[in-house]
Amino acid sequence: RIAAELRLALAEKTLPGLRVLITAGPTWEALDPARGISNRASGKQGFAIAQVLAEAGALVTLVAGPSHEATPPGVTRRDVVSAEEMQAVCLEVLEGSVDVLIANAAVADHRPAQRSPQKMDKGRLPNPLPLTENPDIVAAMARHPRRPRWVIAFAAQTHDHLEQAAAKARAKGVDMIIANDIGDGRMGMGATANHLHMLFGGQITDLGSGDKLTLARRLVRTLAPLLQHSPPSSSETSESP
Amino acid sequence: RIAAELRLALAEKTLPGLRVLITAGPTWEALDPARGISNRASGKQGFAIAQVLAEAGALVTLVAGPSHEATPPGVTRRDVVSAEEMQAVCLEVLEGSVDVLIANAAVADHRPAQRSPQKMDKGRLPNPLPLTENPDIVAAMARHPRRPRWVIAFAAQTHDHLEQAAAKARAKGVDMIIANDIGDGRMGMGATANHLHMLFGGQITDLGSGDKLTLARRLVRTLAPLLQHSPPSSSETSESP
């Protein structure tokens, strides 16, 4: 903790005053007060990026789904549970003006169609379980009148689906995709190590593998010169609003 | 940590050599490498009970679903993910002879009927989602030829359903039910505080509310004199195997 505070004070300020909104962690979609749908994201990668951005002098708001990670020093944290709550808080933060959105959270695509305020008896659980699609937070932010200058989304892929991730990015109007490899059980979601690829301007850059803080430093070092400017409007993965 | 080690060394040994198997935490029922069904249990209450039992001199094996809690000193921990894995490990531990089972884990009642080895595309998610019932670990242990002398189960209830919990206990052949109140959002699952009731021999004892370690101490103090002996076969909530 003291080491983290010192790093925050002493690190080179490559992104002074840049207003960054970063989402991290899973979302929890309750079926009743006990049960729910979720995913195995720990929030580690997003929290590490928030930490490194704050060290670089950025003004970081971290909107976090349920996570056991400690809030990095200098970061403003807003805790949420569901995708709908995450979207509401992100839109609220957007009202205060955001330069860069980094959508790292593993937002559940669906939630149970019905939610019971009391724990359901096992025998009363609907089976099959009807689901409702959750809002697409990144797409909503990318199309917002107050759209951040940069919209960067994470994509979790179990295997070589980078092309698919790029297509998804174009459809959503995001400027850059960071692809998480979750094919290897020791990597990505819920794990300490990770492997990242950056998809930007029609190019794929391998950011390599390593622990999530090391990768966060590598990512922010790569991003810093880009984030000073607007994304090139000709960027292959971008759709101007 | 040092304080915990000291307590372990210095605490009064009221349960020397008692072989306890305790389950704790949620189970995680994967739909694919990212998504799954689970519940909000943190494992805190079960880990606290394991700690206090170890301090009292018991030989404690803790079978834990995904939890961020630290392993209490002196406790043997076995990590599992799904209900099926939890059952397999519990049956394995039972082979080594167990005096007392404390089933604190919030085992998911259901798992997705199909599990994909690769992350499914959002559009390919089955909706409604077909579920399969999970094994009832407590019932299986209570009916096992190597049944522990005591089978104690936890029941999470959102409201005044103690009678229902007692009926469930009888059906499963358990000797005692500890009821968790999860009706209050600040209590029970995932929270630091809890409120426990003990259902035993046709009586309901209010163990009060408090932080989970305090309640664990109160529970073990109440249980210690009982656990030296076999449960009364006339116990209203017991069904001899």
Side-chain angles (χ1 to χ4, degrees), chain B residues 70-83:
Chain B
T71 311
V75 167
T76 303
R77 176 172 177 175
R78 301 278 306 266
D79 282 318
V80 297
V81 174
S82 67

Side-chain angles (χ1 to χ4, degrees), chain A residues 88-132:
Chain A
V89 171
C90 284
L91 290 173
E92 192 186 313
V93 174
L94 205 58
E95 289 308 312
S97 176
V98 172
D99 299 314
V100 179
L101 165 68
I102 300 181
N104 173 253
V107 178
D109 298 311
H110 293 80
R111 61 179 183 275
Q114 303 273 333
R115 178 177 171 175
S116 165
Q118 293 190 334
K119 190 182 168 196
M120 279 186 275
D121 201 61
K122 183 177 169 173
R124 290 208 189 147
L125 275 180
N127 184 8
L129 181 67
L131 304 173
T132 298

Side-chain angles (χ1 to χ4, degrees), chain A residues 28 33-42 66 68 81 109-110 117-122 125-134 136 156-159 164 168 182 189, chain B residues 28 33-42 66 68 81 109-110 117-119 121-122 125-134 136 156-159 161 164 168 182 189:
Chain A
W28 175 265
R35 304 176 179 94
I37 293 176
S38 191
N39 61 65
R40 305 207 71 181
S42 63
H68 286 79
V81 174
D109 298 311
H110 293 80
Q118 293 190 334
K119 190 182 168 196
M120 279 186 275
D121 201 61
K122 183 177 169 173
L125 275 180
N127 184 8
L129 181 67
L131 304 173
T132 298
E133 209 166 305
N134 268 331
D136 186 328
Q157 301 297 336
T158 38
H159 48 157
Q164 191 182 311
K168 222 192 253 182
I182 63 162
M189 285 194 143
Chain B
W28 175 265
R35 302 176 180 94
I37 292 175
S38 189
N39 61 64
R40 305 207 72 181
S42 64
H68 287 78
V81 174
D109 299 311
H110 293 80
Q118 294 188 334
K119 191 183 166 196
D121 200 61
K122 185 176 168 174
L125 275 179
N127 183 8
L129 182 67
L131 304 173
T132 299
E133 209 166 306
N134 268 330
D136 186 330
Q157 301 298 337
T158 38
H159 49 157
H161 269 176
Q164 190 180 312
K168 222 192 252 184
I182 64 162
M189 286 194 142

Side-chain angles (χ1 to χ4, degrees), chain A residues 18-19 21 98-102 147-153 173-176 200 223 225-232 235:
Chain A
L18 190 79
R19 291 157 301 185
L21 166 57
V98 172
D99 299 314
V100 179
L101 165 68
I102 300 181
R147 183 193 197 275
R149 197 165 69 210
W150 281 88
V151 173
I152 302 175
V174 320
D175 303 307
M176 182 190 287
F200 174 59
L223 287 181
L226 295 168
L227 298 184
Q228 321 278 358
H229 313 285
S230 289
S235 155

Side-chain angles (χ1 to χ4, degrees), chain B residues 19 21 31 118 217:
Chain B
R19 291 157 301 184
L21 167 57
L31 170 61
Q118 294 188 334
R217 294 200 189 287

Side-chain angles (χ1 to χ4, degrees), chain B residues 6-17 53-58 228:
Chain B
L6 268 177
R7 261 201 312 270
L8 179 67
L10 300 176
E12 199 195 341
K13 300 291 171 274
T14 54
L15 294 167
L53 287 168
E55 285 171 15
Q228 322 276 0

Side-chain angles (χ1 to χ4, degrees), chain B residues 5 20 30-31 57 62 66 79 81 91 127 129 152 154 169 173 217 229:
Chain B
E5 297 277 3
V20 180
L31 170 61
L62 172 64
D79 282 318
V81 174
L91 290 173
N127 183 8
L129 182 67
I152 301 175
F154 271 70
R217 294 200 189 287
H229 314 281

Side-chain angles (χ1 to χ4, degrees), chain B residues 142-155:
Chain B
R143 285 168 191 145
H144 197 276
R146 297 179 68 85
R147 182 192 197 276
R149 196 165 69 208
W150 281 88
V151 174
I152 301 175
F154 271 70

